Amino acid sequence: MRRSTAPLAGVVGALVVVEATSGVIQGFYTPLLPDIARNLGIHDADVNWFEAAQLLLSAIVVPLLARLGDMIGHRKVLIGSLVVTAAASWAIAFSGTFWLFTLVWAIQGFYVVWLPMNVSIIHARARKHENTAELTAKGAGLIVVALEGGAIGGALLAGQLGGIFADRLWISLSVPAVLVTVALFVVIFKVEDPGTRAGGRIDSSGTVLLSLALLAITGGLSLVRVNGFTIWVWAMIAAGLALLWWFVRVEKRKDDPLIDMSLIARPTLWPVILTSALFGVSVLGAQGPLSTFAATDPTEVGYGLGLDSASRSYLIGAYVFSLLIGAGVYARLSRRFAPRAVLLGAAGMVSAGYLLLIPFHGGVGMVTTLMVVAGLGSGALVAALPATAAAAAPPHQTGVATGLTNTTKTLGGAFASAIFALALSSGIDDAETTAAPLAGYQAVWAICGVTALVAVGAMLTVPKAAFTAADPEAQGLGDRSDAMALEAVGADAVVSEKPLPRPEKFEAGEEDRA
């Protein structure tokens, strides 16, 4: 008999609203970034600091809130993050200064915890049914589709509203705030607390060390924008790296670390984590430069596409739609080819798309085609990285592993946004134009392409049978002689395997409720 997500239809339907709203946030603002820059009286290059600040905060709060969700309840953390995001979204609509706008934009980044919280809620509900894995996978698939659909719709809607309310930008910027507010009430009234709680505690020392390290490194990069590479810049970056080293040492001694270093060191997992960080450079850091390049008038500076907000939204929409297609075909491709091969091909497409932009950026059709190529590869990576991380991790640490892909991707995007801001601000003549130099854009595309190539190299280090049933890491086995034997037999030889127990801990008095 055909199974479906019917047992979870109510909660999945409510969480679809949340993820669609998340998608709108991710797609809505990009076509409007040039208009926001004009409204705030800043250069195009400075909009990259919005993303850098938001991604940095996201990288800090995601592991903390994910851990907190296990402790006090995923629904509570979801509601709390919705409240914070709603307040920040309303503030964005009415912020008139660069620093205030950057601050509230960063705080809006709390929305990144919605996806892990939503998947956790779905999993907790699915545990009451025998086909837990199938229900969880289908429910998660639906909300990811909603996310990508929301991003496409948000980009297209923003483009239209940007033209209609060109002189009243606050009206356009209020749309995401309204949607987040609606999503908040949907969760309050339609999503019940599944009642599951895990043991453990918050790693406060690890959280403080990681936060200070990231703030020091990003702060050093931000000072370059003001005074160039001074001794203070290098001192802050060096201090941040030293704090990261200390963080790793401390985490290795913790029973409940913020980030499990032994997990990252697994031979099939570290390439996935590294690929996630490198992938974040392009998928999270390069959208702002794409929008400002599309808005740059070629008749004034000799490069750019000269698109208005509506036309920019079509370009961004085509890119995001290619992400949706790439994510949708990943499962089918991974069944036909090895997941490792799909990862290699996807990273190669990202690299090709961005590297070819360096010489071929002279027309809308050319740029759109290359962004679609990069988008198809990026979409496959969006779907592949969490799945392969879960397959490479021990059964009781799949949640931690998938969370690491999100955290490292966010870190990669945060550092890339800061570096891109520096690249795009070099050589600007304030008296002549607010447009970023062409060399800056070419540097951005080169960095995106080269980091994707490095990701290809990292994935080449894992065995061909990685992330499949023939991989002992996916079965919780650690003997590399077993790995060699299974790889020699091949993935197709493993036709069945008994489900592994879920070693979940619950505090006394807490049970899985209806």
Side-chain angles (χ1 to χ4, degrees):
M1 183 172 64
R2 183 178 181 272
R3 293 170 177 170
S4 70
T5 54
L8 308 179
V11 69
V12 171
L15 299 181
V16 159
V17 175
V18 177
E19 283 307 315
T21 302
S22 174
V24 170
I25 290 175
Q26 296 177 54
F28 188 89
Y29 296 102
T30 305
L32 298 177
L33 286 177
D35 300 326
I36 292 172
R38 303 296 174 270
N39 186 62
L40 296 176
I42 60 176
H43 296 297
D44 287 347
D46 291 328
V47 302
N48 289 276
W49 294 113
F50 302 155
E51 287 300 313
Q54 187 179 95
L55 292 171
L56 175 63
L57 181 64
S58 300
I60 294 172
V61 302
V62 167
L64 178 63
L65 292 182
R67 183 68 182 134
L68 194 61
D70 288 338
M71 294 175 60
I72 69 173
H74 302 110
R75 178 180 179 271
K76 289 182 180 179
V77 172
L78 178 60
I79 289 176
S81 61
L82 278 162
V83 170
V84 173
T85 305
S89 299
W90 283 111
I92 284 174
F94 298 98
S95 297
T97 64
F98 171 73
W99 293 112
L100 179 59
F101 193 96
T102 303
L103 174 64
V104 294
W105 185 286
I107 294 173
Q108 190 190 49
F110 271 67
Y111 77 85
V112 297
V113 82
W114 294 353
L115 183 59
M117 291 300 100
N118 290 339
V119 173
S120 298
I121 290 171
I122 292 172
H123 176 70
R125 293 299 185 88
R127 289 181 66 250
K128 298 194 294 289
H129 304 275
E130 62 179 11
N131 55 331
T132 300
E134 180 183 352
L135 289 173
T136 302
K138 288 185 176 180
L142 285 174
I143 64 175
V144 169
V145 168
L147 186 153
E148 299 293 355
I152 296 171
L156 297 176
L157 177 62
Q160 301 304 315
L161 294 177
I164 296 173
F165 302 108
D167 298 327
R168 290 170 291 175
L169 186 60
W170 66 270
I171 296 179
S172 300
L173 297 180
S174 296
V175 172
V178 171
L179 295 178
V180 176
T181 305
V182 170
L184 169 62
F185 286 103
V186 168
V187 172
I188 291 174
F189 293 109
K190 295 297 183 181
V191 178
E192 297 180 1
D193 188 346
T196 56
R197 304 289 188 272
R201 59 187 178 84
I202 293 295
D203 178 12
S204 56
S205 59
T207 301
V208 171
L209 282 174
L210 180 61
S211 301
L212 291 176
L214 296 178
L215 287 172
I217 295 173
T218 308
L221 291 173
S222 67
L223 288 179
V224 178
R225 175 69 176 92
V226 180
N227 297 315
F229 282 97
T230 65
I231 185 63
W232 296 109
V233 170
W234 293 115
M236 289 189 68
I237 294 176
L241 293 175
L243 286 168
L244 278 180
W245 174 82
W246 189 11
F247 168 75
V248 172
R249 293 289 300 273
V250 169
E251 293 298 278
K252 286 182 176 180
R253 298 194 298 264
K254 289 291 185 75
D255 293 330
D256 292 308
L258 185 68
I259 298 178
D260 189 342
M261 296 301 160
S262 62
L263 181 65
I264 295 178
R266 294 171 72 90
T268 52
L269 189 55
W270 74 258
V272 177
I273 301 301
L274 177 59
T275 297
S276 296
L278 296 169
F279 174 53
V281 170
S282 61
V283 77
L284 296 178
Q287 292 192 33
L290 172 63
S291 181
T292 55
F293 179 81
T296 301
D297 189 352
T299 62
E300 294 182 2
V301 293
Y303 55 88
L305 302 180
L307 302 179
D308 58 19
S309 61
S311 299
R312 291 196 300 271
S313 71
Y314 301 142
L315 173 60
I316 301 299
Y319 170 68
V320 177
F321 185 72
S322 67
L323 283 170
L324 177 61
I325 298 300
V329 301
Y330 165 71
R332 183 171 299 178
L333 289 175
S334 64
R335 286 195 298 267
R336 184 170 182 180
F337 307 99
R340 172 181 176 271
V342 178
L343 281 165
L344 289 170
M349 291 182 69
V350 174
S351 178
Y354 280 105
L355 290 178
L356 287 173
L357 271 176
I358 297 174
F360 303 115
H361 53 263
V364 176
M366 188 179 300
V367 171
T368 302
T369 300
L370 293 177
M371 289 310 303
V372 167
V373 171
L376 289 171
S378 297
L381 288 174
V382 167
L385 290 171
T388 52
H396 63 287
Q397 290 183 296
T398 55
V400 175
T402 55
L404 279 172
T405 63
N406 188 62
T407 300
T408 52
K409 181 176 68 176
T410 303
L411 284 173
F415 292 136
S417 293
I419 293 170
F420 291 169
L422 300 176
L424 295 176
S425 62
S426 60
I428 291 179
D429 186 344
D430 294 353
E432 294 291 333
T433 180
T434 61
L438 177 59
Y441 287 112
Q442 291 174 323
V444 169
W445 300 328
I447 292 170
C448 291
V450 170
T451 51
L453 276 180
V454 175
V456 171
M459 293 310 304
L460 285 172
T461 66
V462 301
K464 292 182 179 179
F467 322 122
T468 68
D471 180 15
E473 300 288 348
Q475 302 176 54
L477 305 176
D479 191 332
R480 298 317 298 171
S481 62
D482 291 342
M484 294 173 63
L486 282 169
E487 190 170 338
V489 173
D492 293 335
V494 181
V495 295
S496 66
E497 72 179 293
K498 295 180 180 179
L500 292 164
R502 294 184 300 268
E504 299 172 359
K505 298 186 296 181
F506 300 95
E507 294 181 356
E510 294 291 351
E511 299 178 354
D512 193 17
R513 301 171 188 153

